[in-house]
Amino acid sequence: MSERPTADPDSEPDAPSEEPPVDENKHPKGLGMLFFAEMWERFSFYGMRGLLVLYLVNVVFKDVADKDEIAAHTYGAYGALVYATPFVGGLLADRILGYKKAVMLGAVLMALGHVAMAVENQFFLYVALAFLIAGNGFFKPNISSMVGGLYRENDPRRDRGFTIFYMGINLGALLQFIPGILGEKIGWWLGFGLAGVGMAIGLFVFWRGQHVLGDNGDPPDVAKLKKPLVGPLNVEWTIYVLAFLSVALFAMLVRFYEVMGLLLPTVAGIGFLIVLVSAIRSPKVVRERLFVVLVLTLFNIVFWAFFEQAGSSMSLFTMRNVDRQIAGTYVPTSVFQSVNPLFILLLAPLFSLLWRGLNKIGREPSMPVKFSWGLMQLGLGFLVMVLGMSFVFVGPTELAGGLDKFVTEVQDPLVIVQAALVPLWVLLAGYFFHTTGELCLSPIGLSMVTKLSPKKMVAMVMGLWFLSTSLSHHVAGTIAALTSIGADGELEPGEAAVRAGILERAGDHSDTVLASFDQLASYASVFWPIGWVAVGSGVLLLLISPLLKKWQHGIE
């Protein structure tokens, strides 16, 4: 996160040049505006995300045999690009455009993306995702940077300000169940359209309220921004044009996601080697601190590749194999995408108190130890879900006109209906441990990069960190694709479930019910090994954490 010293946005234009004393009980006016702008943007982003895989499987690719696999790869490519573009958007805002203009550009692009998502068409799908990718690259990193710019250096309110801001992120993510319910129960266009309304509100809030920021977020060099560059276009408008043109590139990368499988690992590998060579050539303290960043970057890929199953394979698992009936009503699948942000809002204050209490007695874990705990808890979440599958039971098969509008009359044996069900607590337990793992690991990442990297390399190392997160989303799509039962016909109906120990024998059920059991077995066959890999990775990191702590040379 890049920050520049700016004027105090609370000061009046004619105020004396001497800075007033800080009132620790009062935050700058701009914080509230940024809070609500980000809240509405996250409402729109997660509202769309909660419906995306369900929409791909049930509408866009519903007649394709390997629809789960295609949906998983599409979702993975989208997530990878969403986390790759903020590095470019952040650099352009830092050096040329300024944060305000970058956020406005990003908001406009994302609003157009949400409008396109409301059109139920495969072409518009790729265009919509591309607009969202491009817009997120300009919006996401730069609104956070303006939060930092509200406070002077060493301002005691800064950490609390970011805490308040991130509460807005999770509040927006929590409220995504509203477009989710409307999208599933009434029409996809309405769910995506409501997410677009949220983005429009966020854009309006920022546009009307940016004056309270003062010069925080203004372009670093207005003359450079207005300098003619290409024909009638100056530097500013050239960036705008290129941003819109990039939509075509992103649409192609999402459509032909196989290219991402070659491009992302190559670029990430080159980035890793560059930082590694730079570390080797650096003095001892700098070298060892960069080694810590590189090691944790590798474990970061593992964590998010597994965690991001939430938006793909876990969402389909919820739709097909979780008993979503509460008080006689079937809860829409997308509602459960709000479980993670709800747990964050409830548990984050407790974790803050925990770290503070441990710090007071000199027992707060080091960054690598917190990372290791995060990985182990993530793995535990998957293992608990698989163990919970032993409580599977045969629920009522849902057909057209029945309880779930997603399911049509079963004529194609590849159509999966809700029949082999696991209790709801199985899913909630998985989300609980995933969230506690996230709270151990996620808040550390960007802070670690800025603390352990030398100033001249912060941007480069930050770029590698974003690339690692981007790569993890691509890997997440590849993993989720493995949960598809496919159309190879190699196994008889129910045989996969019997082999997995989920079903004693296949002869007791119809092919429709057996297909549901086979799908459950497919989820178990993926969740079980990645759970153990996550736990094992956490144990390995815990074992080497004393060495990594030594290499930090006092940085915590």
Side-chain angles (χ1 to χ4, degrees):
M1 183 180 303
S2 176
E3 299 170 7
R4 295 179 308 205
T6 58
D8 185 344
D10 283 334
S11 61
E12 298 295 330
D14 297 324
S17 58
E18 186 176 316
E19 293 180 333
V22 170
D23 180 355
E24 294 193 18
N25 296 316
K26 183 180 179 182
H27 287 276
K29 295 176 182 177
L31 181 63
M33 184 275 290
L34 294 175
F35 172 97
F36 283 107
E38 176 70 351
M39 183 195 77
W40 281 110
E41 185 275 331
R42 290 291 91 181
F43 168 83
S44 69
F45 181 85
Y46 284 101
M48 186 283 302
R49 176 182 178 270
L51 288 170
L52 181 55
V53 167
L54 303 177
Y55 174 64
L56 294 177
V57 168
N58 294 292
V59 178
V60 180
F61 304 118
K62 67 178 181 179
D63 297 322
V64 180
D66 53 351
K67 57 186 178 182
D68 283 20
E69 185 177 348
I70 297 173
H73 283 302
T74 301
Y75 178 84
Y78 165 71
L81 289 168
V82 158
Y83 278 88
T85 52
F87 180 62
V88 177
L91 284 179
L92 288 173
D94 257 343
R95 301 180 181 182
I96 303 174
L97 201 57
Y99 302 138
K100 290 178 181 175
K101 291 180 180 293
V103 167
M104 287 293 294
L105 172 60
V108 169
L109 289 167
M110 293 180 76
L112 292 173
H114 285 294
V115 170
M117 281 297 298
V119 181
E120 295 185 11
N121 177 277
Q122 188 169 335
F123 171 79
F124 278 95
L125 165 73
Y126 294 121
V127 171
L129 295 180
F131 268 109
L132 292 168
I133 289 164
N136 186 76
F138 284 100
F139 190 100
K140 184 62 179 172
N142 298 310
I143 194 167
S144 299
S145 294
M146 280 188 285
V147 175
L150 293 173
Y151 302 93
R152 299 196 295 266
E153 190 174 355
N154 299 320
D155 191 321
R157 304 172 297 170
R158 180 188 293 263
D159 286 348
R160 280 179 285 140
F162 269 105
T163 299
I164 294 170
F165 178 71
Y166 287 124
M167 292 290 279
I169 293 176
N170 286 290
L171 181 58
L174 174 65
L175 294 175
Q176 66 84 36
F177 72 86
I178 301 174
I181 291 175
L182 295 177
E184 290 191 56
K185 291 297 184 183
I186 300 177
W188 301 102
W189 64 270
L190 183 57
F192 291 129
L194 184 59
V197 170
M199 186 68 251
I201 294 174
L203 172 60
F204 180 77
V205 168
F206 185 83
W207 175 65
R208 286 296 302 268
Q210 59 182 306
H211 66 278
V212 301
L213 299 172
D215 60 1
N216 175 16
D218 286 346
D221 187 341
V222 176
K224 181 180 180 181
L225 191 63
K226 301 301 180 183
K227 182 180 178 181
L229 187 62
V230 181
L233 298 178
N234 57 23
V235 172
E236 179 180 357
W237 278 96
T238 300
I239 292 175
Y240 296 157
V241 171
L242 290 175
F244 275 84
L245 291 177
S246 72
V247 168
L249 172 63
F250 296 140
M252 293 293 288
L253 288 174
V254 174
R255 169 62 182 85
F256 300 101
Y257 50 77
E258 299 89 348
V259 177
M260 295 288 291
L262 299 173
L263 183 63
L264 255 183
T266 301
V267 174
I270 292 172
F272 190 90
L273 287 175
I274 291 173
V275 175
L276 178 61
V277 171
S278 300
I280 293 173
R281 293 177 176 177
S282 300
K284 175 181 172 62
V285 173
V286 174
R287 177 173 65 249
E288 293 182 346
R289 285 176 176 171
L290 286 174
F291 283 167
V292 175
V293 175
L294 290 173
V295 170
L296 294 185
T297 296
L298 294 175
F299 285 101
N300 185 63
I301 295 173
V302 174
F303 182 90
W304 292 109
F306 297 165
F307 183 91
E308 282 301 319
Q309 297 305 305
S312 51
S313 63
M314 283 181 62
S315 183
L316 295 179
F317 165 64
T318 304
M319 181 181 78
R320 293 167 175 160
N321 293 107
V322 174
D323 182 12
R324 295 179 278 112
Q325 187 174 200
I326 300 177
T329 301
Y330 272 78
V331 179
T333 304
S334 57
V335 169
F336 295 97
Q337 292 290 309
S338 294
V339 173
N340 171 249
L342 175 61
F343 278 150
I344 287 178
L345 289 170
L346 294 175
L347 297 176
L350 300 180
F351 271 76
S352 179
L353 291 173
L354 172 64
W355 303 139
R356 185 181 303 175
L358 291 174
N359 181 266
K360 286 182 178 180
I361 61 175
R363 301 297 297 274
E364 183 177 3
S366 64
M367 286 189 288
V369 170
K370 288 180 180 178
F371 253 69
S372 70
W373 288 1
L375 280 161
M376 285 187 279
Q377 289 173 89
L378 174 70
L380 181 60
F382 283 109
L383 297 179
V384 166
M385 283 196 295
V386 177
L387 292 173
M389 291 178 187
S390 62
F391 294 91
V392 64
F393 61 95
V394 179
T397 303
E398 300 177 10
L399 300 178
L403 298 171
D404 191 336
K405 81 180 189 67
F406 283 142
V407 181
T408 57
E409 293 286 351
V410 181
Q411 297 174 6
D412 184 340
L414 290 175
V415 174
I416 308 300
V417 299
Q418 267 209 323
L421 301 181
V422 298
L424 182 58
W425 68 260
V426 173
L427 178 71
L428 298 181
Y431 272 123
F432 176 83
F433 287 112
H434 288 185
T435 304
T436 57
E438 180 186 6
L439 287 169
C440 287
L441 182 144
S442 184
I444 299 172
L446 296 180
S447 175
M448 174 202 68
V449 170
T450 57
K451 289 178 179 179
L452 293 177
S453 304
K455 288 185 178 180
K456 64 179 181 179
M457 292 181 61
V458 169
M460 180 173 65
V461 180
M462 188 70 75
L464 176 63
W465 186 260
F466 277 119
L467 273 175
S468 76
T469 308
S470 176
L471 179 60
S472 69
H473 279 71
H474 170 70
V475 176
T478 302
I479 293 172
L482 298 175
T483 62
S484 173
I485 62 173
D488 49 31
E490 292 180 359
L491 299 178
E492 293 295 323
E495 188 174 346
V498 172
R499 290 184 180 184
I502 291 176
L503 194 62
E504 288 188 10
R505 56 184 181 275
D508 296 338
H509 304 290
S510 67
D511 286 354
T512 298
V513 173
L514 292 177
S516 183
F517 274 98
D518 285 340
Q519 182 65 75
L520 182 62
S522 182
Y523 292 128
S525 71
V526 173
F527 293 168
W528 186 252
I530 66 175
W532 281 114
V533 170
V535 170
S537 299
V539 171
L540 174 61
L541 181 55
L542 185 63
L543 292 175
I544 65 174
S545 61
L547 176 62
L548 297 180
K549 183 176 182 180
K550 179 182 176 182
W551 283 352
Q552 290 171 216
H553 292 281
I555 294 293
E556 279 294 346

